[in-house]
Amino acid sequence: MPDISANLAGIKSPNPFWLASAPPTNSGYQIMKAFDAGWGGAVWKTLGVPVVNVSSRYGGVNYRDSRLVGLNNIELITDRPLKDNLREIEEVKKYFPDHAVIASLMVESKEQWHQIVKDVENAGADGIELNFGCPHGMCERGMGSAVGQEPEVLKTIVGWVKEVATKPVIVKLTPNISDITEPAQAANEGGGDAISLINTIQSLVGVDIDNFVPYPVVDGKSTHGGYCGPAVKPIALNMLKNCAQHPNVNLPISGIGGIENWRDAVEYILLGATNVQVCTAVMHFGFGIVRDMISGLEGYMEEKGFNSLDDMRGKALGNVTNWENLNLKYKVIADIDEEKCIGCQLCYIACEDGAHQAIGLSEKDGERVPHIIEQNCVGCNLCSIVCPVEECITMVRKDDGSEVVTWKERGEAGTAPTTFNDEKAGGIGHWVPEPKDALKKRV
Amino acid sequence: MGEFKKPTSEQEFEQNFQQIKPLMNKTEAYYESSRCLFCYDAPCQTACPTSIDIPLFIRQINSGNLTGSASTIYASNYFGNACGKVCPTEVLCEGACVYTEQNVKPIEIGRLQNYATQKAIDEKKKLFKLASANGKKVAIIGAGPAGISCACELRTLGYEVTVFEAKEKPSGLTVYGVAPYKITNEEALNEMEYLQEQFGYQVHYNQRIDSVEDLQELENNYDAVFIGVGLGNTSSLQMPGEDLENCVGATELIEELRMNHHQVAMGKKVIVLGGGNTAMDAASEAARMGAEKSILAYRRSKAEMGAYEFEYDLAKGAGVDGMFNVSPLEIQGDGKVSGVKFIRTEQRNGKLESIAGSEFVESCDMVIRATGQSKQVAWLSQIEGLELDKGNRISVNPESFQTTNARYFAAGDAMNGGKEVVNAAADGKQAARGIHNYLS
């Protein structure tokens, strides 16, 4: 059995699955229940001067019959007194000494930072996470993402914390910034021990079109919230990659954003995360999902021959490069498996209207399997993405792999197009239909 | 399934004849519509005799555009609501759904169609704009699916339309002939009311056009006449005992059942003669009416039955037993049916032959003849120059539905020999276009 225990900057947990600082970690009761169910760690709902919250607080994004592909919230940090939280931290640690309990913190002055760090360490927290990510409400008061967006301020506060902290300090970053590696570097410079990312993305999840107000509605008004859930995972993965590849970040990373099963977690770890944090999926399905996360991760590692998380960490990082380094000679073409095709012709209309008119319809009566017009196919993948049948459309490699030419090389060799009507344009030689042929076509 | 107690109240009748395609609720419709792939040039649409743009109306349900969805449906089929329930979707749209190619359950198109149109009917949504009156008048004989569809379409084109219906209610077999578990009277009639309110054609009920004089009057008063008279009573078997008490025609029995529900008297042991869809309905209905035994007797093999497989399954599910390769020789009884004498049959050199000496009597106290409806040859012969084909169906131009008497147009069962509601609805609508071309 592979070892799935994790160690983030010295914070150990029996597995890499932590609950993110959020409503599921609001109380000792919830965290005890989560640990009992199998979660390896939990970042306590952010502690500070307790707030007053509004009702309502969440907005969901659904895609057809899939509920909650995205979740937006306008809830603030803990609204419970610090002493109650500290007492519960102590109690949880008594029951679960080997699980990771991290205190998420957000206060204003240096004195407050010093005091609260000491308080949570005394209560038994295994680590501290600095909430520099919250993009709603708290940032209006100069905290949360207001700090995460100012690398200099961030660095200063990390410095204050490190003056008194004896446990590892994780700096939680906001994605509401054009280059997340800047605050990540600042976290490093300030002496942080790890970073976690991403916090939620500023969002309006939708508008009530009958009453003309976005969700969630608070007495006829709304405000922007923080967006999370499966929809944000691609954004988070890219930011994770940026930080993991950056030579000056150099900190272990706790990955957050849309993780709801073991596959998501594996992707995060392959892109450099040391562990992962989960919130939305638990808010949707409860703590029980961790059982599949653990067994799925173990099964994957066994199948791939990984003995520990360290064996697999960052395995995909080396394969992410700049566009200019991609091989322009690599050529794939779509291939439709006639046996599997159900004849929906979505590939046809997707390619016809949304790509390169490289799929033709069968001309035989009653026959609905489309065919690839190879000379028009640019290998874009669109048909294989829209096809509703598993492995019906595959992309088949056509070049022999002997040639590698990149954009960078072409630039250097002077073979890249440089003028508007350059003969070296990639699209020259591609067949395109006449504009007027578009008229009166079935849609 | 299988055991039904004889219904003694309307409530018990409804229970025994529970709708096999009940109205969807909002959540069900949302989830089901979410599954639709929005196929390009969708096979479901091709399979629909009225060519409803099915992917579009399903997408409109999913986006919460129910009025748009109902418009899409009604633009192609005026019996959109009824067809959602009574169409043999298993062999039409749903049978063509691409999901079936990978053994995935097809989209429940019929029920979605019924759902979208129900909302429009309930809210009395006005979906059509009628053209201003063009001063021309058309008479329609028969308020069935063909006649009403023709009437609606003609109204959109500005014609004054009068429908003459021999019976008391509109919608033809939808209310008189379809099995009660497929659609309720209320549902069928609500759609008719909705259509009439929206399209404003006149209907004269209980007014049978019955004579050459009646027809002459129509010819005098109208610019064109549409024939949507359907078929006649159940054909005779031409065998002894047919006139015994408790030997009834399926069409007549189903009509009685649709009108009088639990009050209809049903035998204890019922034999249904026939192998078509109506036979399946009749056998299933006998079982649901509390017959202790309902036997389907067909002279050929099970595989040769004309009925759709799902209709036979439905009958079996209601507890119907099948007897195959048995040909009835006579219906026995003293004043009242007491049994049917059969002879066993087999295929020999591609021909169905009786097996000598294999006669036997199956006792019963009721016989339902489901051996097809007769054509209304005598009635039709009153129209001058109206030609019928070899099967006694009205000959029409397949595009215009014009008969061999230029002022008469025809569609529905009288023209096609007996098909589905949806075929009549499709052709009735197209016939209106034919009439329009003829009169303009």
Side-chain angles (χ1 to χ4, degrees):
Chain A
M1 190 66 82
D3 176 12
I4 61 167
S5 67
N7 183 341
L8 180 85
I11 308 170
K12 292 180 181 161
S13 55
N15 62 52
F17 304 116
W18 290 10
L19 293 172
S21 173
T25 59
N26 187 49
S27 65
Y29 168 82
Q30 288 165 293
I31 292 174
M32 292 269 267
K33 191 177 172 192
F35 285 174
D36 210 32
W39 290 87
V43 185
W44 212 277
K45 171 122 175 140
T46 304
L47 306 173
V49 176
V51 301
V52 177
N53 271 306
V54 293
S55 159
S56 57
R57 302 178 193 178
Y58 306 134
V61 173
N62 304 332
Y63 179 73
R64 291 190 168 199
D65 56 347
S66 291
R67 312 290 291 181
L68 229 56
V69 295
L71 173 70
N72 159 293
N73 88 90
I74 59 169
E75 189 176 286
L76 305 180
I77 65 171
T78 189
D79 57 4
R80 306 174 65 217
L82 182 62
K83 64 175 172 35
D84 294 346
N85 283 303
L86 295 175
R87 192 185 62 241
E88 291 176 11
I89 291 173
E90 220 175 310
E91 199 180 336
V92 171
K93 278 308 294 183
K94 223 180 278 168
Y95 276 90
F96 292 96
D98 299 328
H99 286 56
V101 174
I102 315 302
S104 170
L105 305 177
M106 185 199 288
V107 289
E108 286 181 89
S109 69
K110 182 174 175 178
E111 291 66 37
Q112 282 177 322
W113 278 110
H114 280 175
Q115 186 58 51
I116 201 164
V117 168
K118 286 178 198 159
D119 286 346
V120 297
E121 288 199 353
N122 285 336
D126 301 295
I128 290 157
E129 185 178 82
L130 310 182
N131 181 341
F132 295 153
C134 180
H136 50 89
M138 302 312 290
C139 52
E140 294 173 19
R141 306 172 197 179
M143 294 181 274
S145 62
V147 176
Q149 288 165 339
E150 295 293 342
E152 278 306 311
V153 180
L154 180 148
K155 189 165 108 183
T156 305
I157 298 179
V158 174
W160 294 346
V161 170
K162 286 298 286 184
E163 281 167 18
V164 295
T166 63
K167 301 286 168 119
V169 173
I170 310 163
V171 181
K172 186 166 179 178
L173 302 179
T174 176
N176 299 295
I177 185 165
S178 45
D179 181 1
I180 200 163
T181 63
E182 287 183 19
Q185 291 175 74
N188 190 8
E189 289 161 17
D193 301 293
I195 51 175
S196 55
L197 60 106
I198 60 173
N199 204 310
T200 55
I201 302 169
Q202 280 195 349
S203 63
L204 286 180
V205 282
V207 179
D208 175 341
I209 60 172
D210 295 315
N211 298 298
F212 318 121
V213 54
Y215 301 108
V217 181
V218 180
D219 193 16
K221 295 270 187 293
S222 190
T223 186
H224 78 262
Y227 194 44
C228 53
V232 310
K233 191 182 100 180
I235 297 164
L237 285 177
N238 184 51
M239 292 187 168
L240 164 67
K241 176 269 296 179
N242 287 345
C243 290
Q245 282 185 336
H246 200 286
N248 300 331
V249 172
N250 255 333
L251 291 173
I253 304 171
S254 184
I256 312 167
I259 296 160
E260 70 168 34
N261 61 33
W262 64 272
R263 286 179 177 277
D264 301 323
V266 165
E267 291 176 52
Y268 268 82
I269 295 168
L270 292 176
L271 283 172
T274 297
N275 71 5
V276 294
Q277 299 185 29
V278 177
C279 163
T280 312
V282 164
M283 290 181 73
H284 193 169
F285 304 110
F287 296 129
I289 57 169
V290 77
R291 293 169 294 180
D292 170 56
M293 299 176 93
I294 291 170
S295 77
L297 176 62
E298 285 173 345
Y300 170 80
M301 289 172 68
E302 208 154 13
E303 191 189 311
K304 297 287 174 193
F306 296 133
N307 294 316
S308 71
L309 298 181
D310 288 337
D311 288 354
M312 57 189 276
R313 177 168 311 105
K315 278 247 174 224
L317 268 183
N319 292 328
V320 195
T321 181
N322 284 348
W323 194 97
E324 63 176 9
N325 298 321
L326 299 177
N327 182 11
L328 298 170
K329 290 291 181 188
Y330 177 72
K331 173 76 179 166
V332 289
I333 274 182
D335 180 68
I336 299 172
D337 184 334
E338 288 183 25
E339 291 299 308
K340 288 186 177 145
C341 176
I342 59 175
C344 69
Q345 298 185 349
L346 283 175
C347 58
Y348 163 77
I349 201 64
C351 186
E352 165 74 11
D353 290 359
H356 293 86
Q357 302 82 45
I359 298 183
L361 295 175
S362 173
E363 277 159 23
K364 276 184 256 162
D365 255 4
E367 165 68 75
R368 289 181 57 91
V369 181
H371 58 271
I372 304 296
I373 304 164
E374 288 209 8
Q375 61 271 30
N376 293 358
C377 180
V378 302
C380 72
N381 288 349
L382 181 62
C383 55
S384 69
I385 294 168
V386 300
C387 178
V389 180
E390 293 295 309
E391 288 163 9
C392 175
I393 302 185
T394 47
M395 305 304 292
V396 180
R397 185 166 190 174
K398 289 291 173 182
D399 69 307
D400 61 7
S402 61
E403 264 187 304
V404 179
V405 178
T406 67
W407 175 255
K408 194 175 175 190
E409 287 163 353
R410 281 187 63 167
E412 285 161 1
T415 59
T418 52
T419 60
F420 289 143
N421 295 308
D422 204 307
E423 290 294 317
K424 299 188 282 294
I428 283 189
H430 279 188
W431 174 83
V432 280
E434 289 301 316
K436 66 172 167 30
D437 293 344
L439 301 176
K440 303 245 188 284
K441 280 232 169 176
R442 181 181 186 131
V443 292
Chain B
M1 295 276 278
E3 291 289 300
F4 289 95
K5 273 218 240 114
K6 180 173 166 48
T8 57
S9 64
E10 181 61 25
Q11 201 188 354
E12 284 175 11
F13 178 86
E14 274 173 28
Q15 222 160 39
N16 285 9
F17 287 85
Q18 234 170 46
Q19 296 298 300
I20 53 172
K21 289 184 181 172
L23 181 66
M24 281 183 170
N25 63 40
K26 194 174 172 181
T27 307
E28 225 179 337
Y30 183 66
Y31 275 66
E32 190 61 7
S33 61
S34 291
R35 294 204 305 129
C36 177
L37 293 169
F38 201 68
C39 293
Y40 175 78
D41 186 15
C44 54
Q45 182 175 1
T46 311
C48 175
T50 60
S51 303
I52 297 175
D53 192 339
I54 294 166
L56 180 62
F57 93 67
I58 293 179
R59 197 173 176 81
Q60 288 170 314
I61 292 175
N62 199 253
S63 77
N65 180 8
L66 282 187
T67 305
S69 183
S71 289
T72 301
I73 295 161
Y74 277 119
S76 294
N77 182 350
Y78 294 115
F79 276 62
N81 187 260
C83 281
K85 296 201 75 172
V86 309
C87 263
T89 52
E90 291 84 347
V91 295
L92 296 174
C93 52
E94 292 175 19
C97 177
V98 297
Y99 271 134
T100 60
E101 298 281 329
Q102 289 288 341
N103 297 329
V104 175
K105 196 170 87 69
I107 304 290
E108 288 192 63
I109 299 168
R111 292 183 67 206
L112 284 170
Q113 181 175 314
N114 181 251
Y115 171 80
T117 47
Q118 192 59 49
K119 194 95 176 156
I121 293 172
D122 289 345
E123 292 175 3
K124 301 187 190 309
K125 286 268 182 212
K126 228 173 143 37
L127 304 175
F128 287 86
K129 216 175 154 237
L130 307 185
S132 48
N134 62 17
K136 289 180 180 145
K137 292 159 72 177
V138 177
I140 288 179
I141 310 174
I148 295 295
S149 297
C150 185
C152 292
E153 186 77 357
L154 285 169
R155 290 293 296 146
T156 66
L157 298 166
Y159 291 84
E160 191 184 318
V161 178
T162 310
V163 184
F164 298 90
E165 169 56 48
K167 292 193 166 136
E168 192 182 322
K169 297 176 181 10
S171 85
L173 291 181
T174 320
V175 74
Y176 287 114
V178 173
Y181 42 79
K182 290 184 183 162
I183 190 169
T184 66
N185 296 4
E186 194 190 355
E187 288 168 322
L189 297 176
N190 279 349
E191 185 168 46
M192 292 305 99
E193 197 184 315
Y194 171 66
L195 292 179
Q196 197 179 355
E197 219 172 274
Q198 197 171 170
F199 291 97
Y201 45 80
Q202 296 287 314
V203 189
H204 298 298
Y205 294 108
N206 299 311
Q207 189 161 341
R208 183 182 289 277
I209 300 299
D210 221 6
S211 60
V212 176
E213 291 72 37
D214 288 349
L215 290 163
Q216 192 57 53
E217 201 177 318
L218 294 188
E219 287 183 31
N220 292 342
N221 295 331
Y222 296 90
D223 298 291
V225 181
F226 175 83
I227 311 168
V229 295
L231 299 173
N233 288 338
T234 304
S235 313
S236 160
L237 286 167
Q238 312 288 352
M239 71 175 62
E242 266 191 280
D243 50 356
L244 288 169
E245 189 184 329
N246 268 14
C247 176
V248 298
T251 313
E252 294 73 25
L253 179 76
I254 294 171
E255 179 170 335
E256 204 194 335
L257 199 61
R258 286 297 301 264
M259 294 303 114
N260 299 320
H261 289 183
H262 62 280
Q263 287 148 0
V264 173
M266 188 61 67
K268 281 196 174 127
K269 184 176 175 188
V270 179
I271 293 178
V272 179
L273 303 175
N277 291 319
T278 306
M280 304 302 128
D281 280 349
S284 178
E285 285 160 17
R288 286 166 203 264
M289 282 299 284
E292 284 160 19
K293 216 163 173 43
S294 173
I295 301 170
L296 191 69
Y298 182 50
R299 61 197 179 97
R300 294 172 183 273
S301 71
K302 192 163 98 179
E304 289 168 285
M305 285 199 301
Y308 299 127
E309 206 177 319
F310 68 87
E311 295 282 14
Y312 178 60
D313 289 344
L314 200 65
K316 268 197 311 193
V320 170
D321 292 324
M323 268 170 55
F324 300 100
N325 282 107
V326 291
S327 184
L329 296 174
E330 93 182 89
I331 295 160
Q332 299 183 335
D334 184 9
K336 208 171 156 185
V337 167
S338 68
V340 179
K341 186 177 184 186
F342 289 102
I343 187 162
R344 296 193 190 280
T345 65
E346 64 180 357
Q347 283 280 352
R348 262 187 237 139
N349 308 323
K351 272 179 75 182
L352 188 73
E353 288 185 20
S354 301
I355 304 172
S358 68
E359 294 90 344
F360 68 100
V361 175
E362 184 76 28
S363 70
C364 67
D365 59 358
M366 188 172 198
V367 171
I368 303 173
R369 294 175 288 120
T371 43
Q373 288 172 265
S374 58
K375 310 288 187 304
Q376 313 213 50
V377 179
W379 190 92
L380 295 170
S381 68
Q382 300 178 101
I383 300 166
E384 205 187 326
L386 188 83
E387 280 176 23
L388 307 184
D389 69 8
K390 272 189 251 162
N392 287 328
R393 296 172 297 199
I394 304 170
S395 298
V396 294
N397 173 312
E399 293 299 316
S400 65
F401 291 85
Q402 190 166 34
T403 69
T404 47
N405 177 331
R407 291 186 67 189
Y408 285 84
F409 293 73
D413 285 355
M415 181 279 291
N416 63 34
K419 286 190 177 174
E420 305 294 340
V421 170
V422 67
N423 301 103
D427 294 348
K429 181 177 155 88
Q430 207 188 320
R433 293 277 157 183
I435 293 169
H436 182 53
N437 286 339
Y438 169 66
L439 294 179
S440 42

